[in-house]
Structure formats: structure tokens, C-alpha cells
Amino acid sequence: MKREYIQVRCSIYEKKLLQRRAARAGISLSEYIRATAFDKNIVERITPEQLETYKMLVQYKNNFTRIGNMFRKRDPKLAKAVEELAREIRTHLKNFKK
């Protein structure tokens, strides 16, 4: 049971920063401050945008692997696959500009 209070003075900016970091980690501000004070490892949760970007990078990796395999097999459909990949990359890059 936690019954004792410790008051700490900080600027508005520092308070907002601490609150934001605690929210990213999915814990309360008090828990975040205690964890940092005792040098505990705080893991931030992945945002939906970060997860989407990760999935996109995995897909790119798979596509480039397939292209590399086509080179090895000397598949004549290589040009078409590369065009599709380029279109897909362009689509994702347009989404990043928004």
C-alpha cells in the first residue's frame, strides 16, 4: 500500500513530458516516476502508426527477397514484378506525405 506523498517541483513542460512518457508506456505518472527513480526498464507501447510502418517494412523485405530469387532463377517476369513493387512503394510514400 502506498500512503506516503513526495512532492516534486517541475516546469509545466517537464510535467507534460513526464505525462506523455507515462502514457506511452501505459502506466500512471506516479508509477513512471517510481520506475525511473529505481532504474527499472520502462518499455513504451507500440503506436498503431509504428505497427503499420513495421508491417510495411516487413512486406518490402519480402518483396525484395522475391525479386532476388527471381534474379537467381532468371525469371522473365522480373520487370513486371519490379514495376508492381515500385507502384506499391509510391503508394506508401504518398501516405507518409499526408
Side-chain angles (χ1 to χ4, degrees):
M1 292 180 70
K2 296 169 181 85
R3 294 185 196 172
E4 297 296 319
Y5 287 94
I6 298 174
Q7 293 182 347
V8 177
R9 292 188 180 269
C10 62
S11 68
I12 293 172
Y13 172 76
E14 291 170 334
K15 182 179 179 182
K16 289 185 187 247
L17 182 62
L18 288 169
Q19 288 172 332
R20 184 176 294 148
R21 288 182 180 177
R24 281 191 211 153
I27 57 177
S28 69
L29 179 59
S30 296
E31 185 62 32
Y32 179 81
I33 291 172
R34 278 193 300 274
T36 55
F38 295 119
D39 292 327
K40 291 184 181 177
N41 188 18
I42 300 171
V43 179
E44 290 186 11
R45 293 184 177 174
I46 296 175
T47 64
E49 295 86 18
Q50 291 171 330
L51 184 60
E52 185 178 331
T53 303
Y54 176 78
K55 287 179 181 179
M56 182 181 61
L57 291 174
V58 168
Q59 189 174 12
Y60 285 168
K61 178 251 180 207
N62 291 337
N63 288 339
F64 283 118
T65 301
R66 289 182 189 123
I67 289 172
N69 290 338
M70 285 184 203
F71 272 121
R72 270 188 253 137
K73 295 178 182 179
R74 298 180 191 251
D75 192 338
K77 297 178 184 177
L78 177 63
K80 185 177 179 180
V82 171
E83 277 182 32
E84 289 176 26
L85 178 62
R87 263 188 253 119
E88 186 178 337
I89 291 171
R90 261 186 246 118
T91 302
H92 287 294
L93 290 175
K94 286 180 184 177
N95 289 337
F96 275 110
K97 291 181 181 178
K98 292 179 182 177

